[in-house]
Amino acid sequence: MYAKEVMPGVYLIDNFINKDTCDFIINSMSSKIVLDNDQKGVYGALGTKDKNPYSFKGEYSKNEKYYNVSLDLINNIFFAMKDLASNIYGQEHILKQTFYSCMTSGGKNPQHIDNYNDEYSEDKSAILYLNDTYYGGELYFNKQDVKLKLNPGSLLIFKGDETRPHEVLEVQGGKRYNLITFFEPKNFKGNFQVQKKFWFGFGTFSQLVAI
């Protein structure tokens, strides 16, 4: 799988997953997103490291068709993203946090960096686009003056340090769906316990980190 450097330190992988897979995930998971949040137009679900992948903190039904199938699929996608990031940076990385993200009209994320203190200093960020049927919502790299809106199935990997401040511009219409994850080097001194498995489950949270 070819990773193209679209600007220094930012890697694009076209067709990382198929558009049909993107549609399946959205159709299976979109009813499970958190319905209330302190950020206008920003919703989603936080990946956890729970031992039981189907243990939920929120009020989520387990009976809808294909829901658990989609959870298993997402877990495998996140691990594939981790392996690709390890290849790009020439060092084994581990999954740290994951998000299923939905931004609606009015949703945005102001300029920020992801590597904002020592604990996150070696983190790598990745965003997998699940759809393009929305208006606005571009990922904007401020210093480079580059706006990106990618096709469904496209994956972007980068280190979001002070050289790459970025923001999500306001969504003007539609819904912007993404899978978002953060990695760190396996032996990074600030990391959490190295996991053999990383379960993607849902838990409510007050603020979603969207990139």
Side-chain angles (χ1 to χ4, degrees):
M1 192 167 288
Y2 177 67
K4 176 172 63 176
E5 193 170 19
V6 293
M7 60 189 212
V10 178
Y11 301 92
L12 170 64
I13 300 90
D14 288 316
N15 301 311
F16 182 72
I17 62 174
N18 189 275
K19 184 181 183 301
D20 291 340
T21 305
C22 296
D23 292 341
F24 176 83
I25 292 171
I26 291 173
N27 292 334
S28 301
M29 307 293 281
S30 59
S31 64
K32 301 297 185 300
I33 63 175
V34 175
L35 299 179
D36 192 18
N37 194 275
D38 59 5
Q39 289 179 273
K40 179 182 177 182
V42 180
Y43 308 98
L46 174 68
T48 70
K49 295 181 181 179
D50 294 342
K51 292 182 179 179
N52 181 355
Y54 307 125
S55 63
F56 303 106
K57 298 177 182 177
E59 298 297 325
Y60 303 107
S61 168
K62 302 179 186 178
N63 299 320
E64 292 187 25
K65 192 176 183 180
Y66 303 131
Y67 177 44
N68 289 341
V69 176
S70 192
L71 278 180
D72 289 340
L73 177 61
I74 287 173
N75 272 313
N76 284 315
I77 290 172
F78 280 133
F79 272 104
M81 292 164 68
K82 182 266 296 183
D83 290 341
L84 184 55
S86 298
N87 289 335
I88 288 173
Y89 293 101
Q91 181 182 11
E92 185 176 356
H93 281 64
I94 62 170
L95 289 165
K96 190 171 184 179
Q97 286 182 309
T98 61
F99 300 96
Y100 175 75
S101 169
C102 174
M103 301 183 78
T104 63
S105 293
K108 59 183 177 181
N109 196 26
Q111 179 179 326
H112 63 281
I113 61 174
D114 300 327
N115 306 75
Y116 56 86
N117 65 23
D118 288 345
E119 180 181 347
Y120 303 100
S121 61
E122 293 303 317
D123 280 14
K124 313 302 186 301
S125 308
I127 176 169
L128 177 61
Y129 284 74
L130 298 179
N131 73 320
D132 59 2
T133 54
Y134 57 90
Y135 302 97
E138 298 92 347
L139 180 63
Y140 179 49
F141 289 90
N142 308 75
K143 282 190 175 182
Q144 292 79 10
D145 193 25
V146 172
K147 294 181 184 179
L148 296 174
K149 181 180 178 180
L150 303 181
N151 295 323
S154 297
L155 175 64
L156 204 67
I157 297 178
F158 59 94
K159 185 174 182 179
D161 59 16
E162 67 277 358
T163 68
R164 299 176 198 89
H166 52 281
E167 64 182 293
V168 178
L169 301 179
E170 184 172 336
V171 176
Q172 303 295 328
K175 296 181 179 179
R176 177 187 189 266
Y177 289 105
N178 304 106
L179 293 179
I180 297 168
T181 188
F182 298 95
F183 319 98
E184 66 183 2
K186 181 177 179 181
N187 296 316
F188 178 57
K189 64 181 180 180
N191 66 12
F192 299 101
Q193 182 178 0
V194 176
Q195 70 273 30
K196 294 182 179 179
K197 293 183 178 180
F198 188 104
W199 297 119
F200 178 81
F202 282 162
T204 58
F205 57 99
S206 63
Q207 186 172 9
L208 173 70
V209 179
I211 61 174

